[in-house]
Amino acid sequence: MRDPIYILGAGPAGMAAAYRLTQLGFPVVVVEREEGVGGLAKSIRYQGFILDYGPHRFFTKIPAVLELWNQVLGSEQVTVRRLTRIYYRKQYFQYPIQAWEVLRKVGWWESLPIVLSYLWAQLIPRPAPRNFADWVKGKFGTQLYSHRIWQVNFDNDYQE
């Protein structure tokens, strides 16, 4: 008998890994510090209400991943239209980015260096990114990277 594979975290990624590994015949142990599974995608019951602990958005362009989630969730999966926007300089911008909206809201003078930097990044691809900053620069150009509109606050209130 094989030694088990230990998976840290019972969020969607950990549970998907455990599910697939058990399908392949591997023994698996999932280690989770919380009482239930779900990670940031779980829901909790509070005073008769069901509250989302974190984001429940799932998106993929990978057919095998989509097939796995459809297989596991079946009829319990709920599909809704999503609205994603970027908040920058006290204005909302549609996502995916709409070029004319950006030009109208940000202005030509500020947009021009961003567009030129983006075109440069497309014409002269960077080597494989070593980190997220390299990926952003390679995908969108150094000018947009320097504005740091992509930064997300990952702080949370969890304390041990």
Side-chain angles (χ1 to χ4, degrees):
M1 175 134 187
R2 299 178 184 173
D3 288 335
I5 296 172
Y6 284 82
I7 297 174
L8 301 179
M15 296 305 288
Y19 180 77
R20 185 69 181 122
L21 286 167
T22 56
Q23 284 182 320
L24 296 171
F26 291 94
V28 173
V29 174
V30 178
V31 179
E32 172 58 51
R33 69 178 168 197
E34 301 290 331
E35 289 182 27
V37 302
L40 292 177
K42 70 181 167 191
S43 296
I44 56 174
R45 292 189 182 276
Y46 179 74
Q47 295 184 357
F49 295 96
I50 298 175
L51 305 172
D52 294 339
Y53 180 74
H56 283 59
R57 182 176 289 178
F58 174 77
F59 176 79
T60 184
K61 291 183 179 180
I62 303 169
V65 173
L66 186 58
E67 182 182 328
L68 171 68
W69 284 104
N70 288 337
Q71 179 184 358
V72 171
L73 294 174
S75 64
E76 292 186 42
Q77 183 170 233
V78 176
T79 303
V80 296
R81 291 182 48 120
R82 67 185 176 116
L83 173 63
T84 302
R85 297 182 297 177
I86 297 170
Y87 188 68
Y88 177 65
R89 292 192 178 172
K90 299 182 181 179
Q91 297 184 79
Y92 285 102
F93 293 82
Q94 295 297 318
Y95 184 84
I97 297 291
Q98 307 293 318
W100 291 112
E101 178 188 25
V102 173
L103 289 174
R104 183 172 44 83
K105 290 182 176 179
V106 173
W108 285 91
W109 188 249
E110 188 175 342
S111 298
L112 184 61
I114 293 171
V115 170
L116 293 175
S117 176
Y118 171 79
L119 292 173
W120 184 262
Q122 300 309 303
L123 292 172
I124 304 175
R126 293 173 165 257
R130 297 177 322 239
N131 53 44
F132 185 64
D134 286 349
W135 179 83
V136 171
K137 290 175 190 176
K139 184 95 171 154
F140 303 107
T142 55
Q143 283 294 317
L144 192 59
Y145 169 79
S146 69
H147 285 272
R148 287 179 171 59
I149 65 171
W150 49 267
Q151 285 187 340
V152 177
N153 182 358
F154 290 105
D155 294 339
N156 62 36
D157 296 329
Y158 179 80
Q159 296 178 1
E160 292 188 335

